[in-house]
Amino acid sequence: MPSNQLSKSSFLFLLGLVICLNFTGLFNEIMEPDGTIYAALAKQIAKSGNWLFLRVNGADWLDKPHLPFWMAAVSFKIFGYTAFAYKLPSFILFVVSVFYCFRLATFIYSKETARLATLIYGSALHIIISNFDGKVEIYLTAFVVAAMYHMYRAFQSKWFWHIVAAALFAACAAMTKGIFVLITIAVGFVIYWIRTKQWKEFIQPKWYLFVLLVFIFILPELYALYLQFDLHPEKIVFGKTNVSGLRFFFWDSQFGRFFNNGPITGKGDLSFFLHTTLWAFIPWSVLLILAVINFFRKKKTAEPALQRWIIGGSALFSFIMFTVSKFQLPHYIVILFPHFAMMTAAYLPEVASEKVLKRIHIFQSVLFTLVFAAVTGIIIIYSFDTALWFFIVSGLITAAIVFYKTNNTLLAVFKKNIGLALMVAVFLNCLFYPALLKYQAGMMAGKWLSQQPAQPAVTLYKCLSTSFDFYYDGKTDYSNPDSTTINNLAATDSLYLFSAVHDLKDINTDSVNLTSLKTFPYFHVSQVNGTFINQKTRKNVLDTFAITLVTRKD
């Protein structure tokens, strides 16, 4: 075996670490806003038995397709209404995406490149974050890379069952995020066929069968949207009536955002996904840049090198599409991480010389030191209740990297980067996120009230908390009554409110008593800033929410 290749045993050991470091995210609670919205949607499906209508906070909801919520609802039915049950389907599909990343890279590149690509993909920072969040992008990434693998196999060999599988996975991708994902799945093949002048592929019946099967497989989604929205034009969605669920699925959901003429709009920034990729793909970001430069600099005029345009072309076109879109969020880029990983993996053993690899190794050592210093700084400034165990774990990781000597420079780079990913995962999933989520007032209130002897109906006053909605076992009233209505209701029966403490001052207390049963500190946990992280200034940005009992004055 060449000196700069990973042995099977080294690969399996590092892959085990990659799976384990992502698995740690399953044991945390769910973060607002997106995660708790999706969990509340799935909980409503499982509890109501209505698998066709999506409702959150008591209202019809039209944003994303149904499939992720169906899968989470099934998990709730089996494992109960817990954060673990919500995140489990996402983690399973992460493992599926790892498998298909390996398989696709094996066929287009080589088994050695596939090993590297799998490790790079699974240890990228935003993959760790997405597995903690249980984001639908993990679902989407698995479906996209699986569809691309089966399309490639259908292109190369006996095609029928691969076309069926490709169409099924592509339909699942569309029922996860929208119809636009078919572009990411197919565009690399189109670019490759154009570059190699394989014009006959454009008239092959199997590709038209693929399109037909995708349409057939998405019929459950179309049926659900038609029943909930198109049959009920009187429903108010996005502040207006006559909203078509089918139009939203085929156009407004993604292309409407792209052209900024749909119900959900944004501003857009041409540099957004460039700088997002630089942090989201840590610790492989710089290597990705080198790989992309090499991809476009090196002339590829023969097979199988040209087949790499299936991956590179898909990544390039999709990245440009995301960049010029007017609606941008960091996690959109995650579906291209298998592409990025394969391109980076192909660069390392095939192009990078021993001298270059040694320089890369030095750079990654510097990166490891900088990240450790940054994490240590956060720990000191935040003032966690206990963090000694983290430094013990980090010390063990560092010792393993330092004392496990190898003459294989490529292996040295990978063990250091995966050690860094493991350290970051332990910090985020076992220290930072558990401390941060204590400031998610809706979750804390819902869990506290669910543990009381009785679970009364609770009215959300001047707030809509999806974390309270998910974590509270009792009934929640989303009618958002005004202070007059609250006084009228309290005149006949007591009621419980969940609200920000400062909003309670709007209630006229001439005829009612307000009794605070429990207060909870609140911060918008998905928008952490330096003021919050600093323990000395944190109280300046905290709000307070409360469970309040409203009773009539005698």
Side-chain angles (χ1 to χ4, degrees):
M1 184 181 69
S3 59
N4 266 334
Q5 288 191 5
L6 289 186
S7 66
K8 183 178 180 180
S9 59
S10 296
F11 165 66
L12 292 177
F13 174 74
L14 293 175
L15 179 62
L17 287 180
V18 166
I19 299 297
C20 287
L21 68 88
N22 283 283
F23 187 68
T24 58
L26 270 69
F27 300 97
N28 280 308
E29 303 296 348
I30 307 169
M31 182 181 288
E32 291 179 324
D34 289 354
T36 52
I37 290 175
Y38 303 156
L41 282 163
K43 180 181 178 181
Q44 189 273 335
I45 290 173
K47 281 204 162 188
S48 69
N50 186 340
W51 294 77
L52 299 178
F53 285 20
L54 296 181
R55 294 178 61 82
V56 66
N57 288 331
D60 291 287
W61 188 82
L62 181 62
D63 188 354
K64 287 180 173 58
H66 290 62
L67 183 60
F69 314 124
W70 286 336
M71 296 181 72
V74 170
S75 185
F76 284 151
K77 286 284 191 181
I78 298 171
F79 300 105
Y81 301 102
T82 65
F84 178 86
Y86 169 71
K87 296 180 182 184
L88 184 60
S90 174
F91 179 78
I92 292 173
L93 282 170
F94 163 69
V95 176
V96 170
S97 70
V98 168
F99 170 78
Y100 274 109
C101 180
F102 179 85
R103 294 290 292 168
L104 182 58
T106 298
F107 277 91
I108 292 184
Y109 299 89
S110 66
K111 181 172 287 189
E112 171 62 18
T113 299
R115 289 174 178 174
L116 303 182
T118 302
L119 298 175
I120 292 170
Y121 163 65
S123 57
L125 175 59
H126 216 311
I127 292 297
I128 299 171
I129 294 173
S130 296
N131 275 310
F132 158 75
D133 277 342
K135 285 189 178 298
V136 298
E137 275 64 32
I138 293 294
Y139 290 73
L140 187 61
T141 303
F143 296 141
V144 167
V145 71
M148 291 185 68
Y149 166 76
H150 287 289
M151 281 190 69
Y152 181 82
R153 295 300 306 278
F155 169 65
Q156 288 289 322
S157 58
K158 295 180 181 179
W159 58 266
F160 180 76
W161 288 113
H162 283 296
I163 282 291
V164 174
L168 178 60
F169 280 115
C172 288
M175 291 191 293
T176 297
K177 194 70 173 180
I179 206 73
F180 92 100
V181 296
L182 299 181
I183 296 174
T184 296
I185 292 169
V187 70
F189 292 93
V190 172
I191 293 173
Y192 167 62
W193 294 334
I194 292 173
R195 280 188 60 86
T196 55
K197 297 182 173 56
Q198 298 186 58
W199 310 114
K200 67 180 187 302
E201 290 298 329
F202 292 98
I203 59 173
Q204 289 282 358
K206 59 186 174 183
W207 304 124
Y208 294 94
L209 175 62
F210 167 80
V211 175
L212 175 62
L213 288 174
V214 169
F215 181 78
I216 292 172
F217 290 145
I218 66 173
L219 285 177
E221 174 66 29
L222 302 184
Y223 179 66
L225 290 171
Y226 179 76
L227 281 185
Q228 185 172 4
F229 297 102
D230 293 75
L231 276 183
H232 296 280
E234 76 281 359
K235 288 185 175 181
I236 300 176
V237 184
F238 304 122
K240 60 182 181 180
T241 57
N242 292 298
V243 174
S244 168
L246 294 177
R247 173 186 165 84
F248 186 83
F249 177 78
F250 283 109
W251 185 259
D252 291 334
S253 175
Q254 300 302 325
F255 297 105
R257 298 185 190 192
F258 178 84
F259 292 108
N260 219 35
N261 59 5
I264 302 174
T265 59
K267 296 181 180 179
D269 175 1
L270 292 179
S271 67
F272 180 81
F273 285 110
L274 179 60
H275 57 71
T276 294
T277 302
L278 290 178
W279 69 259
F281 206 60
I282 286 175
W284 308 100
S285 310
V286 173
L287 303 186
L288 172 63
I289 294 172
L290 296 175
V292 171
I293 293 172
N294 177 74
F295 181 86
F296 290 105
R297 184 177 61 187
K298 186 176 180 181
K299 294 183 178 180
K300 303 175 182 67
T301 58
E303 296 285 2
L306 280 172
Q307 291 187 17
R308 299 181 183 187
W309 274 97
I310 296 173
I311 302 300
S314 174
L316 174 64
F317 190 92
S318 299
F319 191 89
I320 293 173
M321 181 173 64
F322 293 160
T323 295
V324 299
S325 172
K326 295 298 182 182
F327 191 87
Q328 301 168 330
L329 291 172
H331 50 264
Y332 286 3
I333 200 68
V334 169
I335 70 168
L336 298 182
F337 276 19
H339 301 64
F340 294 165
M342 286 182 238
M343 295 172 71
T344 305
Y347 165 77
L348 284 171
E350 296 178 9
V351 179
S353 63
E354 180 68 18
K355 183 178 180 180
V356 172
L357 283 175
K358 287 182 178 179
R359 290 177 178 174
I360 289 172
H361 184 228
I362 294 172
F363 174 81
Q364 298 305 124
S365 299
V366 173
L367 178 63
F368 187 101
T369 304
L370 291 175
V371 172
F372 179 77
V375 169
T376 301
I378 292 174
I379 290 173
I380 293 172
I381 295 172
Y382 192 95
S383 187
F384 292 92
D385 294 335
T386 175
L388 177 61
W389 63 266
F390 170 77
F391 290 106
I392 294 173
V393 172
S394 297
L396 292 174
I397 294 172
T398 304
I401 292 172
V402 171
F403 292 108
Y404 177 65
K405 300 292 185 181
T406 177
N407 294 323
N408 186 330
T409 312
L410 187 63
L411 175 59
V413 170
F414 270 75
K415 71 170 185 173
K416 186 158 293 179
N417 279 8
I418 291 175
L420 173 58
L422 180 60
M423 181 183 70
V424 169
V426 169
F427 168 69
L428 290 176
N429 293 335
C430 303
L431 186 64
F432 184 69
Y433 285 139
L436 181 66
L437 290 174
K438 293 178 182 178
Y439 295 94
Q440 194 161 268
M443 178 192 80
M444 299 301 290
K447 293 177 71 173
W448 176 81
L449 200 56
S450 295
Q451 294 169 357
Q452 303 310 305
Q455 282 80 51
V458 177
T459 298
L460 301 184
Y461 178 61
K462 294 193 174 183
C463 71
L464 287 175
S465 174
T466 52
S467 65
F468 184 86
D469 191 14
F470 176 74
Y471 282 98
Y472 182 47
D473 294 334
K475 183 179 179 182
T476 305
D477 176 15
Y478 312 102
S479 62
N480 194 24
D482 57 24
S483 58
T484 302
T485 303
I486 288 175
N487 276 267
N488 293 337
L489 291 172
T492 57
D493 194 9
S494 60
L495 71 154
Y496 293 79
L497 302 181
F498 176 68
S499 68
V501 170
H502 63 78
D503 284 329
L504 294 174
K505 68 180 186 300
D506 297 331
I507 298 176
N508 187 337
T509 56
D510 291 342
S511 60
V512 298
N513 293 313
L514 301 180
T515 305
S516 177
L517 302 181
K518 183 76 172 178
T519 60
F520 308 89
Y522 170 77
F523 183 77
H524 197 312
V525 293
S526 65
Q527 297 180 356
V528 174
N529 55 37
T531 306
F532 173 81
I533 289 177
N534 189 339
Q535 188 267 342
K536 295 180 179 179
T537 58
R538 188 176 306 141
K539 63 181 180 181
N540 297 332
V541 292
L542 294 181
D543 202 348
T544 303
F545 276 65
I547 297 290
T548 303
L549 174 63
V550 186
T551 55
R552 182 183 62 184
K553 282 185 177 179
D554 294 328

